Amino acid sequence: MSDRENASGSGSKDGEKNDQNMRIPSRPIPSGPSYFASEPLQFRVRGSTITGASPPKFVTLEDIMKAAHGMQNMALAHEIAVDQDFKLEPFEPPDNSYQKLVKETMHRAYFDILREQLNSDPPEYKQALVLLEDVKQGLFAILLPRHTRIKEMIEEVLDGDFIKQQAENNSLDFQKYASFVIDLMAKLAAPARDEMIQNITQLTDTVDIFRAILETLEVLKLDLANTLIAMIRPHVQKESVQYERNKFDEMLKVSEDGLQHTKQWLQRHIDKTGLSIPVSDQNIIRNVTAQTLAKAYLELLEWDESKSYPETVTLDKPRFTELGTQVYRLICVASLLLVSPSCGNDPNAHHKQHLKDKIDIIIDNASNDIELKAVLPSVAEEVILMTEQLLETMGQEPLTSETKELIRTQIISLGDPEHRVRQIVRQRVQEFLKIILVCAGGSRQIPVGLSAFTKELTAVSGTLLRYVMHNKAVFTNHYLEIIAEELCKN
């Protein structure tokens, strides 16, 4: 977006002076159904776990701006700060829902009335006036505060009184207004929307043109919202740490023991081996804290639901749960590859990658051992099939019935979480992630036997580190106090 890409850059002094004073005027009461009357501008959060397993969270553009300026919505601010993939999608009511029916009915009536009035003899422009006012408001909605001159130009061209005079004189030039709006959208929109806007110019029917204009304006509102999120993310990241810290401390003042579950969580991972208790050396306390937190955060990836979740990580529970599922599948796929006869010492990297991709697809929905056991027979058959294909290309004898049965047994036995191969893979993955957390990143060697999973391990460790760094930035003082108190006990 040529005009929007520099939104945070410096503008004219007049523009800066008017930023705070600029107000989009309230639209007059329409004389017919309005295109935007059926629902407020809402967006669905994408790539986010803001509500966990609950239905998708819907937010308005106002919510986004509140999170940016007032930090009034802790969960939303936290989501923007932590989730680099935080995006908004257009709000669409569920199929066959009453809300969707109302929306479709309202929009259909909107354009049916418009077409009927324009085709009457003589033409009526009552709904046309509503249409142009809706377009005007839609254009205002995709402007930034510094776009004062553009706003003035829109006010001048789409002046309601002048348009009403044209309608009364039967001289309303729809093509003129359509060209103005399309040209302006092309200037404000991102290059990715050029084709969408260009397609509008190919239309000839007046109603179809303005229907496409209104639909495109809704897309551009979404683009603006996501652009604003990208702009405010550094500010939110900076402010949300202190904001979350203050809000949590306020909660602690009115709570009998707001850190009860956090203490239990950390105490399970404090290793006092080799320490002379009580410990008063601050360097030792910091080192123990770093090791303790690394193990504690890893526990979140395999959380036992019979335990109470730590208060300091509550906002991120869905996030850690989702990441834990990714780690679980990674361990399962790696274990399956290691026991597959054609992958143990297989020099054919293409075959190994192909089999890995196949297994990934089969266990894609498995998030626990019960679901894993249900799909392991299918995995076994896929391993047998691909092994025979490999043997055929190498000119070797096919698998015997006994060998096939042995492969099935080996594969299905991996449903046991205590399986030796699974335990080894899990241990290597955990040690790799622990080193990443203790050292706060850096370059680390991929564990032995897991080179085929370099991409997955890198992605998981990077995501985990991002979550952990934000959480530690907010709650480190509490963690230090809890662990120091434990180490000072006789």
Side-chain angles (χ1 to χ4, degrees):
M1 287 175 284
S2 58
D3 218 344
R4 196 172 294 157
E5 285 169 353
N6 298 320
S8 58
S10 59
S12 66
K13 293 183 179 179
D14 290 340
E16 292 174 358
K17 183 187 300 183
N18 291 330
D19 276 358
Q20 295 182 341
N21 296 329
M22 190 191 89
R23 293 289 185 273
I24 294 175
S26 300
R27 60 186 299 179
I29 299 175
S31 55
S34 168
Y35 184 79
F36 301 115
S38 56
E39 75 282 328
L41 176 62
Q42 288 184 303
F43 306 107
R44 184 164 69 88
V45 177
R46 176 166 63 87
S48 139
T49 52
I50 196 167
T51 55
S54 59
K57 170 73 174 180
F58 295 95
V59 296
T60 65
L61 187 55
E62 182 182 4
D63 293 329
I64 299 297
M65 298 313 297
K66 281 183 179 180
H69 299 303
M71 305 301 294
Q72 297 172 19
N73 189 327
M74 182 175 173
L76 181 58
H78 179 83
E79 199 72 24
I80 295 174
V82 176
D83 189 354
Q84 64 181 3
D85 297 322
F86 184 92
K87 295 283 185 182
L88 300 177
E89 292 180 339
F91 167 66
E92 285 296 337
D95 290 337
N96 302 319
S97 66
Y98 177 75
Q99 190 175 7
K100 187 177 183 68
L101 177 63
V102 170
K103 179 179 179 179
E104 291 178 345
T105 302
M106 291 290 290
H107 285 186
R108 189 182 307 113
Y110 181 96
F111 292 108
D112 285 349
I113 293 173
L114 177 64
R115 188 180 297 279
E116 180 181 344
Q117 290 184 357
L118 293 180
N119 290 337
S120 62
D121 187 18
E124 294 182 39
Y125 295 106
K126 183 178 179 181
Q127 185 65 15
L129 297 179
V130 177
L131 165 72
L132 292 175
E133 180 62 29
D134 282 338
V135 170
K136 181 179 178 179
Q137 296 300 323
L139 289 173
F140 285 153
I142 64 173
L143 296 181
L144 292 170
R146 70 183 187 87
H147 289 147
T148 52
R149 293 183 181 177
I150 298 178
K151 175 184 173 293
E152 292 170 358
M153 180 173 63
I154 295 172
E155 287 277 22
E156 181 180 345
V157 175
L158 296 177
D159 178 71
D161 292 336
F162 181 66
I163 291 175
K164 187 175 182 180
Q165 291 179 10
Q166 287 184 313
E168 292 171 349
N169 295 326
N170 200 23
S171 60
L172 194 57
D173 189 349
F174 272 105
Q175 189 57 47
K176 167 192 168 185
Y177 294 118
S179 298
F180 167 76
V181 173
I182 293 170
D183 289 344
L184 186 55
M185 288 195 301
K187 293 176 182 178
L188 294 171
R193 303 302 179 194
D194 287 350
E195 183 177 356
M196 178 184 293
I197 295 173
Q198 181 63 31
N199 289 339
I200 302 177
T201 64
Q202 307 302 316
L203 300 174
T204 56
D205 180 78
T206 299
V207 175
D208 290 342
I209 290 173
F210 279 93
R211 185 200 304 268
I213 285 175
L214 288 172
E215 291 172 351
T216 302
L217 283 172
E218 289 194 302
V219 173
L220 297 187
K221 291 176 191 177
L222 175 62
D223 289 346
L224 173 60
N226 282 324
T227 299
L228 289 172
I229 288 174
M231 290 165 54
I232 68 177
R233 178 171 283 117
H235 169 71
V236 174
Q237 288 172 331
K238 177 182 176 182
E239 298 295 330
S240 67
V241 170
Q242 188 61 48
Y243 177 76
E244 290 180 52
R245 187 183 298 151
N246 293 342
K247 285 296 181 183
F248 191 82
D249 289 344
E250 289 176 10
M251 182 272 293
L252 291 180
K253 292 178 182 178
V254 298
S255 175
E256 183 176 349
D257 188 359
L259 289 170
Q260 176 185 355
H261 305 314
T262 300
K263 290 176 182 177
Q264 296 170 354
W265 171 54
L266 295 179
Q267 287 166 356
R268 286 197 295 271
H269 299 285
I270 298 176
D271 185 1
K272 300 179 182 179
T273 305
L275 296 178
S276 179
I277 304 298
V279 178
S280 58
D281 189 316
Q282 292 301 310
N283 289 328
I284 294 178
I285 293 175
R286 287 192 181 91
N287 289 336
V288 173
T289 299
Q291 295 290 334
T292 300
L293 285 174
K295 291 183 288 184
Y297 284 124
L298 291 178
E299 184 192 4
L300 299 177
L301 301 180
E302 300 176 336
W303 189 255
D304 180 356
E305 291 298 334
S306 66
K307 296 183 175 69
S308 297
Y309 213 76
E311 299 88 349
T312 55
V313 204
T314 300
L315 278 179
D316 287 318
K317 181 178 180 180
R319 212 182 310 276
F320 279 106
T321 300
E322 181 181 340
L323 193 59
T325 300
Q326 294 178 30
V327 173
Y328 173 82
R329 290 183 188 139
L330 189 158
I331 293 170
C332 291
V333 176
S335 302
L336 288 165
L337 276 186
L338 287 174
V339 302
S340 297
S342 59
C343 293
N345 297 305
D346 178 33
N348 192 327
H350 174 73
H351 167 78
K352 188 173 184 178
Q353 182 61 44
H354 190 36
L355 179 58
K356 172 177 171 288
D357 293 341
K358 289 284 189 179
I359 296 174
D360 270 330
I361 294 172
I362 295 174
I363 73 166
D364 183 55
N365 293 321
S367 59
N368 55 58
D369 289 335
I370 295 176
E371 294 172 347
L372 176 66
K373 289 176 182 178
V375 298
L376 283 179
S378 299
V379 174
E381 297 307 316
E382 189 64 42
V383 170
I384 291 172
L385 175 62
M386 293 194 63
T387 301
E388 289 194 313
Q389 291 174 347
L390 177 64
L391 291 174
E392 183 179 354
T393 60
M394 297 173 65
Q396 297 185 15
E397 293 294 321
L399 298 173
T400 64
S401 299
E402 293 78 7
T403 303
K404 290 180 181 178
E405 192 58 36
L406 179 61
I407 292 174
R408 292 188 183 98
T409 302
Q410 288 179 330
I411 295 295
I412 293 174
S413 67
L414 281 170
D416 180 5
E418 301 301 321
H419 191 287
R420 182 58 179 162
V421 174
R422 270 184 67 176
Q423 286 293 306
I424 292 173
V425 173
R426 176 184 174 277
Q427 181 182 358
R428 291 178 182 176
V429 170
Q430 291 264 327
E431 289 176 351
F432 175 79
L433 294 176
K434 181 183 175 183
I435 293 173
I436 293 290
L437 294 182
V438 171
C439 300
S443 178
R444 295 290 177 267
Q445 183 176 353
I446 298 297
V448 176
L450 300 179
S451 58
F453 296 87
T454 299
K455 179 180 178 181
E456 289 86 349
L457 283 170
T458 302
V460 164
S461 60
T463 302
L464 176 62
L465 184 62
R466 189 170 70 253
Y467 298 164
V468 166
M469 293 300 287
H470 184 85
N471 184 264
K472 288 172 69 174
V474 177
F475 300 108
T476 287
N477 289 338
H478 292 298
Y479 296 150
L480 281 169
E481 289 176 5
I482 292 171
I483 294 173
E485 181 182 347
E486 188 68 21
L487 294 179
C488 288
K489 292 179 180 179
N490 288 320

